[in-house]
Amino acid sequence: MWKTVLTTFALVFLAELGDKTQLSTMILASRSKSAASVFIGSACALVISSLLGVIGGTFLQRYIPQNFIHVGAGISFILIGFLLLLGKT
């Protein structure tokens, strides 16, 4: 269990560093008089979006074979990478 917890933490932590969400949170914190409020709001948003991801992943794995999910996720990441390179996102 702890291996999964630590692996998930590391992957999400690294994925969130320097992304649009973190930059938006930094801007909100610089404009707000309450950094704690920005922290609480952004933390709640990350928790809820993670919950939706877990629920979605659990649903998908019940109905779609795991290898299809892996291929779909890989294609999605490649597509997003190309869009980023082309400046479309």
Side-chain angles (χ1 to χ4, degrees):
M1 176 186 143
W2 284 108
K3 181 179 179 183
T4 303
V5 170
L6 293 175
T7 301
T8 303
F9 173 84
L11 287 173
V12 172
F13 182 80
L14 291 173
E16 292 297 322
L17 286 179
D19 75 346
K20 293 176 192 174
T21 305
Q22 186 182 34
L23 297 174
S24 298
T25 303
M26 290 170 63
I27 291 169
L28 286 169
S30 71
R31 294 180 179 175
S32 174
K33 293 182 180 172
S34 174
S37 296
V38 174
F39 173 75
I40 291 168
S42 65
C44 289
L46 182 57
V47 167
I48 291 171
S49 66
S50 295
L51 174 64
L52 293 174
V54 169
I55 290 169
T58 301
F59 176 80
L60 286 177
Q61 66 92 22
R62 288 184 185 171
Y63 301 103
I64 300 174
Q66 190 174 18
N67 59 329
F68 287 174
I69 295 171
H70 286 200
V71 170
I75 290 170
S76 296
F77 277 111
I78 291 169
L79 181 61
I80 290 169
F82 279 126
L83 291 172
L84 286 169
L85 288 173
L86 296 173
K88 301 289 183 181
T89 60

